[in-house]
Amino acid sequence: MSTFQAPKGTYDLIPPNSATYLAVREAISVPLRNSGYGYIETPGFENVELFARGVGESTDIVTKEMYAFETKGGDKLALRPEGTASVLRAALEANLHKGGNLPVKLWYSGSYYRYERPQKGRYRHFSQVGAEAIGAEDPALDAELIILAHQAYRSLGLRDFRILLNSLGDKECRPVYRAALQDFLRGLQLDEDTRRRIEINPLRVLDDKREAVQEQLIGAPMLRDYLCEACKTYHEQVRELLTAAGVAFEDDPKLVRGLDYYTRTTFEFVHDGLGSQSAVGGGGRYDGLSEMIGGPVLPSVGWALGVDRTVLALEAEGITLDIPAATAVYAVPLGEEARRVLFGKVTELRRAGVATDFAYGGKGLKNAMKSANRSGARLALVAGERDLAEGVVQLKDLASGEQTPIALDAVVDEVRRALG
Ligand code: HAM
């Protein structure tokens, strides 16, 4: 193993591509910030118990994929595999739910860790931008979140994604369904692991990707036939609100999701250009999670969009984001005196808000101009002894090659004018 190799299942974000990641995070957060969501940041690790109780003891995420460890002080911690449990824990700890202003709407952006088998679109370290609306049961809130994610993807120019929608019922109707499903599943030819799953988490069996399993699932009882009146009405309202907003979705009665906390509304954004790791985002309502982690009743809903997969989706659709060059002006000094004077001008330009860079390291003119072109700058400022003696620097348009002398004491104004 080389010392210079990132750990398996991880990769670095490096310029220029890293700019796309920043732009994606920005694009996803804009609609949230515009809709009353406040920014929250929680630690990269939590007590392992939080995820065991929140995400679910029987989920793959907790049993197989969690980076859990014991500290020297004996604390049992885990790198966060997802954001929802942490955000709810933080909201409860800060008593945000007691401010008399429900729902508490929060958004976040950060790194998450799952010990998964790495493949394209599936990493051990990945990033999500997420949103949680805590403490309100209102179909309009579920609809709002789906509409905002849709808006975010659209603002990036994505078109080939679909929204899958389902309801998982609530604590009244789901247990009845669960029992009916278990009865059905116990009669099938399934391997040991899957049989065990029937007893712990039968709904996940529906999600099994293997054909031999899927074939046997034909005729399985469907949750939608077991939904209670309250859940049916709630779901119908979410669907109507989405339709009224012009957001197309597909009903997917088999959509289960990999986390245990969901109730009622669940959804996934899938992109058709991504192969097997097609879920670019997902979420749903989690009315029981607060109680599962020891809090009060706080019906809530949220989602998280995967930044890595969203970038892959952009690539799949051939979309290049319009990211302005990081540098607008590149300064090239010729000689010691010019270096001192031009560096001063660079500082002035930066203080005036003009993105400026400088040819460091005493490069010759040819190399310095190469760097100027590579930087993406529109303008170069070039100065040698003779220019300084005349009180000017040369302002060069890097696209046209046109060069004009400008007064040293008017550099900021002249550059601004030239940039338009
Ligand atoms: P999730 O479906 O587990 O949900 O993850 C959301 C998104 O994160 C996925 O759709 C995917 O784009 C991305 N993602 C997950 N695992 C990986 C991975 N190993 N590599 C790359 N990308 C990945 C949650 O995490 C829930 N907390 C969402 C939520 C928020 N539900 C309610 N509120």
Side-chain angles (χ1 to χ4, degrees), residues 149-192:
H150 177 266
Q151 191 181 329
Y153 285 140
R154 277 304 174 88
S155 77
L156 286 166
L158 289 170
R159 308 205 72 85
D160 299 341
F161 65 89
R162 292 176 290 131
I163 302 174
L164 309 180
L165 185 69
N166 193 19
S167 171
L168 290 181
D170 62 9
K171 61 177 187 294
E172 302 303 319
C173 54
R174 194 158 60 193
V176 183
Y177 169 68
R178 191 174 184 273
L181 181 63
Q182 279 175 324
D183 265 355
F184 174 87
L185 293 174
R186 285 185 194 121
L188 305 183
Q189 300 295 322
L190 298 165
D191 58 274
E192 264 309 298

Side-chain angles (χ1 to χ4, degrees), residues 353-405:
V354 181
T356 310
D357 207 350
F358 187 67
Y360 292 100
K363 289 184 223 220
L365 179 62
K366 202 169 146 210
N367 264 335
M369 290 314 290
K370 237 191 233 167
S371 300
N373 280 312
R374 262 197 224 129
S375 76
R378 279 171 54 197
L379 302 172
L381 283 176
V382 188
E385 307 290 308
R386 196 167 352 130
D387 298 306
L388 296 182
E390 289 170 14
V392 299
V393 296
Q394 302 295 327
L395 181 67
K396 183 169 183 171
D397 184 316
L398 287 168
S400 68
E402 200 181 315
Q403 188 168 307
T404 39

Side-chain angles (χ1 to χ4, degrees), residues 92-292:
L92 290 169
E93 183 174 338
N95 280 319
L96 297 186
H97 59 298
K98 289 187 183 157
N101 193 22
L102 296 175
V104 176
K105 302 209 283 187
L106 301 165
W107 77 273
Y108 51 94
S109 171
S111 293
Y112 296 86
Y113 308 87
R114 294 183 193 175
Y115 189 74
E116 298 201 72
R117 201 161 41 76
Q119 64 179 88
K120 185 163 185 188
R122 189 164 71 193
Y123 310 106
R124 291 181 172 178
H125 164 262
F126 57 97
S127 66
Q128 292 184 340
V129 175
E132 312 292 346
I134 297 165
E137 189 185 277
D138 184 339
L141 197 53
D142 306 39
E144 165 176 294
L145 278 160
I146 296 172
I147 292 166
L148 294 177
H150 177 266
Q151 191 181 329
Y153 285 140
R154 277 304 174 88
S155 77
L156 286 166
L158 289 170
R159 308 205 72 85
D160 299 341
F161 65 89
R162 292 176 290 131
I163 302 174
L164 309 180
L165 185 69
N166 193 19
S167 171
L168 290 181
D170 62 9
K171 61 177 187 294
E172 302 303 319
C173 54
R174 194 158 60 193
V176 183
Y177 169 68
R178 191 174 184 273
L181 181 63
Q182 279 175 324
D183 265 355
F184 174 87
L185 293 174
R186 285 185 194 121
L188 305 183
Q189 300 295 322
L190 298 165
D191 58 274
E192 264 309 298
D193 258 6
T194 315
R195 293 203 149 275
R196 215 169 303 129
R197 183 164 278 177
I198 296 173
E199 304 312 318
I200 312 167
N201 199 348
L203 272 73
R204 288 294 288 167
V205 180
L206 296 180
D207 223 20
D208 201 308
K209 301 278 182 293
R210 291 170 297 180
E211 205 157 309
V213 177
Q214 279 303 324
E215 272 169 11
Q216 298 187 69
L217 290 177
I218 297 164
M222 298 304 284
L223 183 50
R224 75 173 152 211
D225 301 322
Y226 286 75
L227 290 184
C228 60
E229 277 314 308
C231 283
K232 258 191 226 160
T233 310
Y234 193 95
H235 196 57
E236 203 38 55
Q237 286 186 42
V238 175
R239 297 176 77 258
E240 277 166 16
L241 288 163
L242 290 177
T243 305
V247 171
F249 57 87
E250 295 170 21
D251 292 305
D252 182 355
K254 281 193 183 160
L255 181 72
V256 177
R257 312 260 309 126
L259 306 94
D260 273 358
Y261 49 61
Y262 291 112
T263 52
R264 291 197 168 167
T265 314
T266 48
F267 49 86
E268 224 158 65
F269 290 81
V270 294
H271 193 277
D272 290 325
L274 294 189
S276 65
Q277 302 307 310
S278 63
V280 285
R285 183 155 274 287
Y286 48 95
D287 293 340
L289 178 57
S290 174
E291 290 156 285
M292 281 154 71

Side-chain angles (χ1 to χ4, degrees), residues 51 66 134 143 151 239 315 345 407:
F51 300 118
M66 210 148 60
I134 297 165
Q151 191 181 329
R239 297 176 77 258
E315 281 165 19
K345 292 297 159 195

